[in-house]
Amino acid sequence: MERGRAVPPPWRGPWILCLLPALAGGQPLVASEAAYEEWQVTGVRGRAVEMSCGLVAAAPPAVVFWSFTPRGEGPPRALAVGSGRDVVVAPGTGTLGRVTLRNGTLELRELRVAAQGRFLCQGLFPERGRLRVGYAAVLLRVLVPVSKPFVRPTAAAAAEGAAVALTCTVREGTEPLSFSWQHQEPRGGPSVSPVGLRGSGAELSLTPANRSHTGWYLCTASNEVNSHTSEPVYLDIVYGPDEPAISVEPFSPEQGGFSAGEREDVVLSCLAPSNPPSRYVWLHNGTQVHVGQTYVIAAIARAQAGTYTCLAENTHLQTRTQATIVLTVYYPPAGSPSCSALATGDLQDVALRCRWLGGFPLAQLRWVGSLEEEKEEEEEGVMGTSFSMATRIQPGVATRNGSSFSCLASHPALPQGAACGTTLWVPPGSPTCAAAATKGDEYVMLQCRWEGGTPPVTLQWRDGGGRALGDPTPSTAVLVLSTEGSLGGREFVCAAAHPLRAPGPDCRLRLEVPDLEAASEVAVLEGGEALLTCRQRGTSARLSATVAWYDPKEREVTQGLAKYRLEQGEAWLNLTVLDAEWPGDSGIYRCTATNSVGTASLPVRLRVDRYPAPPNVTISKLRYTRARTEVQLEWRTQGTGNLTGFMVQRRQTKKPLREAPSPWETAAGNIEPHSRDRRLGGLDPAVLYAFRVLAVNHRTAGHPSEVQTPAEPPFEAYPAVTGAAVAGMLVATAASLLAVRCIARHRETLPRLHDLLFRTAGPGAQEPVDTPEDAEAAASGEEEAAPAPGEAPAPSTAAEPLSAPPGTTDDPPADVTITATATP
Ligand SMILES: *[C@@H]1O[C@H](CO)[C@@H](O)[C@H](O)[C@H]1NC(C)=O
Ligand SMILES: *[C@@H]1O[C@H](CO)[C@@H](O)[C@H](O)[C@H]1NC(C)=O
Ligand SMILES: *[C@@H]1O[C@H](CO)[C@@H](O)[C@H](O)[C@H]1NC(C)=O
Ligand SMILES: *[C@@H]1O[C@H](CO)[C@@H](O)[C@H](O)[C@H]1NC(C)=O
Ligand SMILES: *[C@@H]1O[C@H](CO)[C@@H](O)[C@H](O)[C@H]1NC(C)=O
Ligand SMILES: *[C@@H]1O[C@H](CO)[C@@H](O)[C@H](O)[C@H]1NC(C)=O
Ligand SMILES: *[C@@H]1O[C@H](CO)[C@@H](O)[C@H](O)[C@H]1NC(C)=O
């Protein structure tokens, strides 16, 4: 409150004088000493303000008079008059507030703006028994508090870059007003005064607006009375989308894009700042594949490689941006790398080859050597890297047998890589040569083998002069030769070559006719088995030959003949002559072998030997037993000689006629060598028999004994009756014998009778023959003759005469001993 002195205003109202009589006390009025004071009072609308008339400390005036000049202009208007407790307030003061007057002090409650103006008081102040006149003027200012401000943006939403202004307005408030601004992030956060913004007055200018201006705005308006803050107002700055940023998970950037291994899960994320937030669309090779910010490709396939475009759209602004990346999908080649080792053309070096085709990107291949050789390769190591195929030339001389080499493959889709390997080695030994003929012997095939080794051994046929025949081939070399040319005796060489073994070994082959070996003569005792062997010599390079045996009559011996047994081995063919006959089986047998080069033949002489002649035999006793159907025979041997048994033969005596005698029949064979007698039964009592005995050594029969007829048994044992009967029979027998003899002598003239009588008993009766030998014997034996020593009687033809040895003359009927028997 400002107090000041001012020139006393002129006396204006006579009405106050009418109060004077009401002044109590009747004290003298001192007008000359009137005081004047003036001060200022500030009030706030709606509140209260007190204005005292004069000094508050002083005694209150006895009479006070308040008047009011609105805004200090125009005539004053009486407000109130007071004297002591009597107070009169002029009517119509309500426009200033609620006016009260107490003890000279004017109080305005609920102050109104209209109360601004000049208040004048005039009072009579009792002072030392007299009344002193006082004046006071109070200049009242009525202040209006600021009302709640409002923030008004030029637009609730604006695009980035546009000019945006926010205005803070207050309805009322005493000037001067001041404004302050606060900004809050859209999603909360501290309120901050926007910095660097032009105009901190009632208007906040955001020019140009950018995204950081988005958020809540508050303004605070202040004057000297108060300050008031507005409600927050949201300002939305729409923008974007910005250029999208694409991120790829897993993160594997590379030149010009990103990469992923096949079957990996790939996550593509796109971020394009925008308000409102972007709508995202993913395109693969230009085709929409996904809507949304994040595109997850589970287990990516190689066809999912290509370009990926992220389209971001601000639907509010209808603006779009896009970004594109190239995504490469790596996949390894199929299978695994393959290693091989080949000999180079000159067979000096080994070409190590490694292949692994396909995949993306191509696999990187590199050869590395065995550990000890690794050192010197270090520098060369990276240099030798190549794609899909890697070749390394390894000099053969510098490579030990058994050296290992590996081909290492690396590929981005194979973290652990892959490898294959090979070990260079030479097979032990040397090549083997063999020859074989085609069926029909038109061609000869030479085969050379030496298997094993890495790389395989290279084989090539050459002729004896070193000229190459055919192409070099691995492990086996085959040469086919026509047998039309003369191959016999030509030499062929199979040369082997291997880079790790120089010079290589070879094998040789000479084509030759079969070389046979056989004993030139074989001897066998008759009845035995003769083994004729025939073997091919030279086992290697043998052309398969056809081996055959021919008998002395040049007939080929085939399987299944009773006389022969053929046994065949790998290199031999043995002929066994069964039951060797003397002399028929003797002779020259031939073993032949034929191969495509020629035929070889080897004669083998078979000698069938006879056993030594058995000793001569003489009959020491021959007589009938009591019955004439049985004889008792005893004999003895003469001289030395081995024997295996005896044989007794008999025949009917045909005497007295000189007819051909009946043949000898064996009455008993197989008599043990130690026996010297025999009882022979089964005789016809009406027939007279002649007997002889032969010693036998195996099949060789000795000289027959002399021929004898049995003697009569001792007389006393012979009944007379029997003798008479026998005598009668003898007469008849003698007569018939004479007749037979006559016919035999005149057989030319009496052919029919001769035939009749001798067809069955004559030489013709010796047929049928069983064996050629039999036939031979039968042909030569017109009649019985004493067999030569060593003649072999066939046991199978025991009932027939012994065959004559070859060369025996066909004698006319020999003398036959006819023993006339008479009854004693
Ligand atoms: C007025 O003044 C008298 C005497 O000074 C005092 O007793 C009285 O209380 C005052 N009245 C008011 C309302 O102040
Ligand atoms: C936005 O504008 C203010 C000043 O107006 C500036 O300081 C700020 O860097 C701008 N922000 C952007 C993102 O442009
Ligand atoms: C996309 O393009 C890439 C490269 O041009 C191609 O390898 C891929 O197969 C394509 N994929 C499709 C589904 O078209
Ligand atoms: C080479 O080594 C292999 C084993 O690695 C062996 O079997 C072969 O006999 C060797 N060759 C020679 C010629 O030593
Ligand atoms: C055939 O003869 C050969 C000798 O040339 C011999 O080694 C082989 O054992 C003989 N075979 C038979 C079955 O006797
Ligand atoms: C055996 O008999 C024959 C003829 O009868 C005779 O030539 C030969 O000398 C005799 N041998 C002996 C050892 O008596
Ligand atoms: C008789 O045979 C034996 C063996 O069987 C032989 O040792 C002996 O020399 C033979 N005697 C004659 C005379 O042949």
Side-chain angles (χ1 to χ4, degrees), residues 432-496:
T432 55
C433 287
T438 57
K439 203 168 183 183
D441 283 343
E442 284 174 53
Y443 297 100
V444 173
M445 192 173 77
L446 305 185
Q447 198 177 44
C448 177
R449 297 170 79 88
W450 194 17
E451 286 174 342
T454 305
V457 181
T458 303
L459 303 171
Q460 186 175 30
W461 280 103
R462 298 177 186 280
D463 65 9
R467 272 182 298 123
L469 305 167
D471 297 325
T473 51
S475 293
T476 55
V478 173
L479 182 65
V480 177
L481 302 166
S482 166
T483 52
E484 279 173 11
S486 60
L487 294 174
R490 280 182 64 186
E491 192 177 43
F492 297 89
V493 181
C494 170

Side-chain angles (χ1 to χ4, degrees), residues 531 533 535 567 572 574:
L531 175 66
T533 66
R535 166 189 282 282
E567 284 164 302
W572 47 260
N574 294 354

Side-chain angles (χ1 to χ4, degrees), residues 642-696:
N642 280 341
L643 58 87
T644 56
F646 294 96
M647 176 166 68
V648 178
Q649 293 182 322
R650 74 176 187 193
R651 71 176 177 195
Q652 294 183 21
T653 57
K654 301 274 174 55
K655 298 300 175 192
L657 286 176
R658 279 192 59 84
E659 293 294 339
S662 51
W664 288 102
E665 55 183 312
T666 299
N670 293 332
I671 299 169
E672 308 76 45
H674 52 82
S675 290
R676 292 294 185 269
D677 57 3
R678 195 77 169 182
R679 191 180 282 259
L680 297 166
L683 302 179
D684 185 350
V687 175
L688 181 61
Y689 295 93
F691 290 88
R692 65 180 191 181
V693 180
L694 301 97
V696 176

Side-chain angles (χ1 to χ4, degrees), residues 176-253:
L177 295 171
S178 66
F179 297 90
S180 68
W181 290 92
Q182 286 191 303
H183 176 225
Q184 209 174 6
E185 292 287 312
R187 271 169 288 282
S191 296
V192 291
S193 303
V195 285
L197 284 176
R198 274 190 291 129
S200 54
E203 190 181 84
L204 182 63
S205 174
L206 308 172
T207 303
N210 69 29
R211 61 198 61 183
S212 69
H213 298 142
T214 305
W216 299 98
Y217 284 87
L218 301 94
C219 92
T220 302
S222 310
N223 61 8
E224 55 187 295
V225 181
N226 68 341
S227 58
H228 218 304
T229 301
S230 68
E231 290 293 318
V233 166
Y234 191 79
L235 177 64
D236 198 16
I237 303 296
V238 293
Y239 62 91
D242 291 349
E243 185 76 10
I246 298 177
S247 65
V248 179
E249 195 72 37
F251 184 63
S252 51

